Amino acid sequence: MSLLAGSRVRPVSAETHNSTEHHSGLNAAAMLTVYLVLLVAVPSNVTISALGSLGRPSMLWGLVLLFWWILSRLQTRALDARPVRQPLRWVFMAFLVVVLVSFAAAMLRGQPADQVSPATTALLRLASWSGVLLVAMDGIRTYSDAAILVRRLAIAGAALAALGLAQFFSGQTLLEWTTYIPGLAFEATEAATRGSFTRASGTAIHPLEYGTFVVSALPLAITAAVNKGFRTTPSRHAAWWWLAVALILLASLVAVSRSAIIGLAVAVVALLPAIPTMYRWMIGVGGAVLAMAVFALIPGMFGTILNLFVGASNDPSTQSRTAALARVPEFMSSSPLIGQGFGTFLPRYYIFDDAWVLLTVELGILGVLCLGGMVLAAIGSAVWASGHSPFQDTKSMSRAFAACLVTIAVLFAFFDGLSFPMSAGLLFLMIGLTASMRSIAAADEVLTASMRYTARPELPDIAAELPPARRATAGEA
């Protein structure tokens, strides 16, 4: 309580407090929303013609976020929230050090001319992801900002799922319109197929990238539906969130992807303990009914999905992943600690359908430990937030972000997720958002502590500023 007792700063409710000083509505939630739109709405194989491979709009906006974060760090501002230690910050710094040391060592060893440019591009991509992570971690500091992003991520997942369903039933990519926009380059691709079914990819480059985003959005959509969109006042549109859940479930079932089904199971199992029992039964029964409807109405779908698992040992992609593990020691032998260099291991050497294995080759043991440590540190912050915040909605968001991040980390074992812009951008965005819950929970603790001191004349009664649901929760703490 020394912070409150020695300060004239009046605590305010999370719904009315803004996370950062801003002008004209420009804050971290708005900046990250722009990134999310560019990441999902703009096809991943669309670039600005003049910039080549560096011209992906989401990547450029990530660099803007990094510049914006650096400027915010250089400014002197009045302290409006208690500083919170973020374990993720230190692990992330270690990851950056490993990347830079590995890059320098690779350049000193000498590289073929066609590997220097991809390695440099990889550093710029990492800088862009860093901007996203840092703005999410340090800029999202209130319940209201986090709720906005939960809703928007759930909507993005549902919209991408709807596009994927349209592609599945039409057999077309439906993205040809991008070729008519001047100044943009679009790498046209045909819709992938498996058996007699079209494999949807949405706006992603590959169906696995699409499946990762859609399935990972499921915990956020379910949490938004259970909590009625995290609105402070009742809304008659709250039931629409269940439509988003249904779209994501349906798109995952018809993705004709083994990894999408596995990711769906991981997302549900990771989230179910965090939601009320009534909703667990609703999701379980509803999901089963939806699956039976899909198998009954789409001839051959059940057999195709069953063969994905029964015949997995004979599947070329499974055999490729198994054979890749045997080649890892060979590629790591020259530099086991820091690897061959981030972005220098080109497909002509070998194709690893596993982001964690490829990262081990490129950044060595230290690099993969640091990225794994980043994921664990972010999840740890969410667990900390769930245990310390007295507000049930903060707990729900923390668990949803953690379940989303666990799903992404598992699915990265099925394809090279860091080589695809949508999946890589989503990973770093979710790492930052999951870690941000630690700051939000710490602010919740200060808020409820101040409410216990309302009898003191120098501290105002802020309980009246809270919505009824959060006021009741805080009163029980």
Side-chain angles (χ1 to χ4, degrees), residues 339-350:
Q340 300 295 322
F342 190 52
T344 63
F345 196 85
L346 303 182
R348 70 165 180 256
Y349 298 121
Y350 202 84

Side-chain angles (χ1 to χ4, degrees), residues 214-234:
V214 168
V215 172
S216 300
L218 181 61
L220 303 178
I222 292 176
T223 303
V226 170
N227 292 275
K228 298 178 174 55
F230 292 103
R231 298 294 186 181
T232 57
T233 56

Side-chain angles (χ1 to χ4, degrees), residues 158-174 191 198-202 210 247 250-251 254:
L160 192 62
L163 176 59
L165 290 172
Q167 292 173 337
F168 173 81
F169 289 110
S170 68
Q172 301 177 6
T173 63
L174 305 178
T198 298
R199 296 188 68 188
S201 58
Y210 157 81
L247 283 173
L250 181 59
V254 301

Side-chain angles (χ1 to χ4, degrees), residues 205-262:
I205 294 176
H206 193 276
L208 291 177
E209 182 185 22
Y210 157 81
T212 297
F213 194 102
V214 168
V215 172
S216 300
L218 181 61
L220 303 178
I222 292 176
T223 303
V226 170
N227 292 275
K228 298 178 174 55
F230 292 103
R231 298 294 186 181
T232 57
T233 56
S235 172
R236 60 181 179 178
H237 304 296
W240 285 101
W241 290 107
W242 289 109
L243 176 61
V245 174
L247 283 173
I248 293 174
L249 284 172
L250 181 59
S252 302
L253 290 171
V254 301
V256 201
S257 170
R258 183 169 44 246
S259 61
I261 300 298
I262 294 174

Side-chain angles (χ1 to χ4, degrees), residues 340-469:
Q340 300 295 322
F342 190 52
T344 63
F345 196 85
L346 303 182
R348 70 165 180 256
Y349 298 121
Y350 202 84
I351 296 178
F352 288 105
D353 290 326
D354 186 324
W356 297 103
V357 172
L358 179 59
L359 191 70
T360 304
V361 173
E362 289 191 335
L363 292 180
I365 297 173
L366 294 179
V368 75
L369 287 178
C370 286
L371 184 61
M374 287 167 56
V375 172
L376 293 177
I379 293 174
S381 292
V383 172
W384 186 93
S386 179
H388 283 74
S389 175
F391 297 122
Q392 186 58 45
D393 41 20
T394 300
K395 295 176 183 289
S396 297
M397 280 191 285
S398 299
R399 295 162 181 168
F401 280 136
C404 179
L405 188 53
V406 168
T407 304
I408 298 171
V410 171
L411 289 180
F412 267 39
F414 295 92
F415 76 115
D416 178 20
L418 291 179
S419 298
F420 295 90
M422 186 180 292
S423 55
L426 179 65
L427 173 67
F428 281 82
L429 174 61
M430 293 311 306
I431 288 176
L433 289 176
T434 306
S436 73
M437 299 309 297
R438 190 182 188 94
S439 299
I440 295 172
D444 286 349
E445 282 191 308
V446 174
L447 180 63
T448 52
S450 66
M451 292 172 63
R452 298 190 187 102
Y453 272 67
T454 53
R456 293 177 54 182
E458 67 270 22
L459 287 178
D461 182 4
I462 65 169
E465 298 183 15
L466 289 172

Side-chain angles (χ1 to χ4, degrees), residues 235-369:
S235 172
R236 60 181 179 178
H237 304 296
W240 285 101
W241 290 107
W242 289 109
L243 176 61
V245 174
L247 283 173
I248 293 174
L249 284 172
L250 181 59
S252 302
L253 290 171
V254 301
V256 201
S257 170
R258 183 169 44 246
S259 61
I261 300 298
I262 294 174
L264 179 63
V266 171
V268 172
V269 170
L271 182 67
L272 282 184
I275 61 177
T277 304
M278 178 185 70
Y279 290 105
R280 297 178 198 173
W281 283 103
M282 181 186 301
I283 293 169
V285 174
V289 171
L290 185 61
M292 287 188 291
V294 168
F295 297 148
L297 297 176
I298 304 179
M301 178 59 71
F302 178 74
T304 301
I305 293 179
L306 183 63
N307 288 333
L308 290 177
F309 293 91
V310 175
S313 59
N314 298 322
D315 186 76
S317 61
T318 304
Q319 294 175 346
S320 174
R321 292 186 183 96
T322 304
L325 295 176
R327 300 291 301 276
V328 172
E330 171 190 345
F331 292 118
M332 290 184 60
S333 58
S334 61
S335 182
L337 288 181
I338 59 174
Q340 300 295 322
F342 190 52
T344 63
F345 196 85
L346 303 182
R348 70 165 180 256
Y349 298 121
Y350 202 84
I351 296 178
F352 288 105
D353 290 326
D354 186 324
W356 297 103
V357 172
L358 179 59
L359 191 70
T360 304
V361 173
E362 289 191 335
L363 292 180
I365 297 173
L366 294 179
V368 75
L369 287 178

